[in-house]
């Protein structure tokens, strides 16, 4: 694999992937934007301090954007592009799911793979009741018509059918049942956990990966994202 190193940036030419992780970034540097904006299809900016996505809009070919473990909140400006199909926002500061979904459906109409684990607005299937977590999934699926994968599992045909039917109701019924405050009142400890799709031993800077595909790997830790895209039959 041919990698070109520039400052603290790793650019994988073969995979057209830019990796700029664990550098305490609050914004994407102009120099990185200017040098790589036309060459990148995948970008990993995890484990930084990002509060803004300014500069991402210049990456016109960007298909996959990994933003795990940053400081992105409800005021996040989503770059308007039809090219992004994969977005990972695990362990950020999203507290209003409705606002986020409006932005995603408006500015990323082709989003197909989405992960929101560890945000205050989103229930965790291990801590929420089954009905609360399912209603959350219905709510997200109803807002994003092209979504194929959410968090740790594939969007089923049953979920799509039910979400599409209920999304025609003027007052969305999912919000009546979905209450993040109740879901997270017993979630204090886990909210401090760093989310990564790799076990601890593989979390070195430059080695973080956001993976959206069916694969076989060992589940490590109660809150590890190693099983994020593995169905129960593969565990």
């Amino acid at each position: 694999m041919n990698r070109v190193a520039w400052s603290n940036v790793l650019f994988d030419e073969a995979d057209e992937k830019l990796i700029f992780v664990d550098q305490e970034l609050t914004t994407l540097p102009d120099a990185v934007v200017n040098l790589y904006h036309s060459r990148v299809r995948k970008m990993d900016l995890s484990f930084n301090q990002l509060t803004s996505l300014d500069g991402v809009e210049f990456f016109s070919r960007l298909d996959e954007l990994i933003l795990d473990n940053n400081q992105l909140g409800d005021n996040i400006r989503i770059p308007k592009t039809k090219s992004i199909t994969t977005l990972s926002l695990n362990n950020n500061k999203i507290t209003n799911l409705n606002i986020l979904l409006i932005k995603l459906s408006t500015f990323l109409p082709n989003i197909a793979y989405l992960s929101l684990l560890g945000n205050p607005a989103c229930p965790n299937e291990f801590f929420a009741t089954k009905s609360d977590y399912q209603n959350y999934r219905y709510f997200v699926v109803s807002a994003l018509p092209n979504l194929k994968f959410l968090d740790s599992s594939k969007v089923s045909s049953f979920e799509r059918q039910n979400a599409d039917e209920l999304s025609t109701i003027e007052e969305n019924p999912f919000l009546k049942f979905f209450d993040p405050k109740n879901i997270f009142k017993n979630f204090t400890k886990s909210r401090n956990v760093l989310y990564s799709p790799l076990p601890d031993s593989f979390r070195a800077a430059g080695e973080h990966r956001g993976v959206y595909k069916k694969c076989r790997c060992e589940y490590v830790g109660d809150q590890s994202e190693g099983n994020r895209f593995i169905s129960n039959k593969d565990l």
Side-chain angles (χ1 to χ4, degrees):
M1 178 172 62
N2 184 18
R3 280 186 169 180
V4 178
W6 178 80
S7 185
N8 293 315
V9 179
L10 290 175
F11 179 56
D12 182 346
E13 289 185 322
D15 204 28
E16 298 178 284
K17 183 171 184 177
L18 179 70
I19 302 172
F20 203 5
V21 304
D22 197 22
Q23 299 298 318
E24 300 184 355
L25 299 175
T26 56
T27 59
L28 193 59
D30 290 341
V32 173
V33 175
N34 293 335
L35 187 61
Y36 293 104
H37 72 276
S38 63
R39 306 163 63 187
V40 171
R41 285 194 314 107
K42 303 176 183 180
M43 184 156 57
D44 190 342
L45 301 175
S46 300
F47 296 96
N48 282 295
Q49 301 294 321
L50 292 175
T51 58
S52 166
L53 295 184
D54 290 349
V56 172
E57 67 271 19
F58 296 109
F59 290 78
S60 58
R61 300 176 62 240
L62 192 62
D63 172 72
E64 177 183 299
L65 181 58
I66 310 299
L67 299 165
D68 298 345
N69 299 293
N70 277 285
Q71 302 294 317
L72 298 166
D74 295 329
N75 63 345
I76 180 177
R77 283 198 308 118
I78 305 292
K80 187 174 183 178
T81 174
K82 294 182 179 181
S83 64
I84 293 179
T85 61
T86 297
L87 177 66
S88 186
L89 279 168
N90 297 316
N91 203 36
N92 276 278
K93 306 297 181 181
I94 306 298
T95 62
N96 191 315
L97 184 60
N98 192 48
I99 289 177
L100 176 65
L101 292 178
I102 290 173
K103 292 179 180 180
L104 292 179
S105 62
T106 302
F107 299 114
L108 301 181
N110 294 320
I111 191 75
Y113 302 90
L114 176 66
S115 192
L116 300 172
L117 297 169
N119 284 283
C122 308
N124 183 297
E125 62 181 316
F126 299 109
F127 291 87
T129 65
K130 184 176 181 180
S131 61
D132 277 334
Y133 183 70
Q134 185 61 71
N135 285 327
Y136 150 76
R137 288 183 62 85
Y138 281 144
F139 184 40
V140 176
V141 172
S142 69
L144 304 174
N146 294 313
L147 197 64
K148 298 178 180 178
F149 228 111
L150 175 61
D151 295 341
S152 60
S153 59
K154 182 179 179 180
V155 174
S156 68
S157 57
F158 177 81
E159 286 178 317
R160 172 56 63 191
Q161 180 181 354
N162 279 273
D164 288 346
E165 290 176 357
L166 291 169
S167 66
T168 61
I169 300 175
E170 184 176 355
E171 183 179 359
N172 195 310
F174 305 129
L175 289 178
K176 297 178 182 179
F177 303 100
F178 177 55
D179 185 350
K181 292 181 181 178
N182 289 335
I183 289 171
F184 276 84
K185 65 183 179 181
N186 295 320
F187 194 37
T188 304
K189 181 178 179 180
S190 64
R191 288 172 71 176
N192 295 323
V193 175
L194 288 178
Y195 282 74
S196 169
L198 295 178
D200 289 338
S201 60
F202 290 95
R203 289 182 184 170
E207 293 301 324
H208 177 266
R209 294 186 179 89
V211 179
Y212 290 78
K213 62 182 179 180
K214 185 175 180 180
C215 58
R216 295 182 180 275
C217 31
E218 182 181 358
Y219 177 69
V220 179
D222 293 337
Q223 295 305 314
S224 169
E225 290 174 8
N227 72 332
R228 184 168 54 179
F229 305 108
I230 305 175
S231 59
N232 289 336
K233 67 181 181 180
D234 293 321
L235 293 177

